[in-house]
Amino acid sequence: MTGATRVRQERAEATREAILDGAAIAFDAMGFGSTSLTDIAKHSGVTKGAMYFHFQSKEALAKELMTMTTQFEATPYVARYDVPGVQTAIDLTHEMAYGLRTSARVRAGVRLVIELGSFTEPDPTLYNRWVESVRDMLAQAQGRGDLKPEVAIGDLAVYVVGAFAGVQIASQVRTSRNDLKERITDMWTWLLPGIVPPRRASRFLPAGSPGLWEAIDALESSG
């Protein structure tokens, strides 16, 4: 690869990232229906021609942001766990809550998933990805005896994803998500006694593991 080719690729990637950032800001503020390509171009600081080169439509941009938001298994904090389980699922929801408070991309992705999932013919694919990721974590936990044997893992995973979605919406409306960490902690505080054997209960921290918050503190310090 020549130096000139490398420079062109780096510029193209920078433009693509700028478009995604601009789309996230616009979708987060106005939602899918009220956002125009002109709005996205304005927030991105690029021309419509440059935008069309990378994304053929507003729908393509929305899909990319939603897909990025639902890639739970690729998140840096969850990747710390050699053996995922209950604490992984807890930390995952706190990580998402942190992202909602700090990242326009995460806020836009979650808003789009909820909005587009409410259409007349909704596509359940992205919700199903969330559910599958949580279910895989919880299945491993049950195999180790960290969940009660009578718990239906698939149903529990659906409940966790639905509960998180509802809690974050209520927090957004009531406090602009300023209390979201506390509300997610409440969610797990009340849920864990029903799913975890009493002898294992002390292993799990509803407020998130120290390692999670250390990783987040390190990320904030480096930023």
Side-chain angles (χ1 to χ4, degrees), residues 86 137-151 153 156 192 195-197 199-200 204:
V86 174
M137 296 171 193
L138 297 178
Q140 295 187 58
Q142 193 172 50
R144 295 192 298 272
D146 287 340
L147 287 179
K148 295 177 180 179
E150 66 269 23
V151 171
I153 297 299
L156 177 57
L192 286 174
I195 64 173
V196 174
R199 68 184 184 281
R200 303 288 182 101
F204 307 117

Side-chain angles (χ1 to χ4, degrees), residues 66-75 78 83-90 92-93 95-96 124-141 147 153-154 156-158 160-161 188:
M66 289 189 290
T67 299
M68 292 168 66
T69 302
T70 54
Q71 295 303 309
F72 281 169
E73 66 278 5
T75 55
V78 170
V83 184
V86 174
Q87 193 64 53
T88 324
I90 294 171
L92 179 61
T93 56
E95 181 187 343
M96 287 298 298
T125 301
L126 296 172
Y127 273 110
N128 288 342
R129 287 180 185 171
W130 282 351
V131 171
E132 288 167 7
S133 294
V134 175
R135 184 182 62 208
D136 289 345
M137 296 171 193
L138 297 178
Q140 295 187 58
L147 287 179
I153 297 299
L156 177 57
V158 171
V160 168
V161 171
W188 285 107

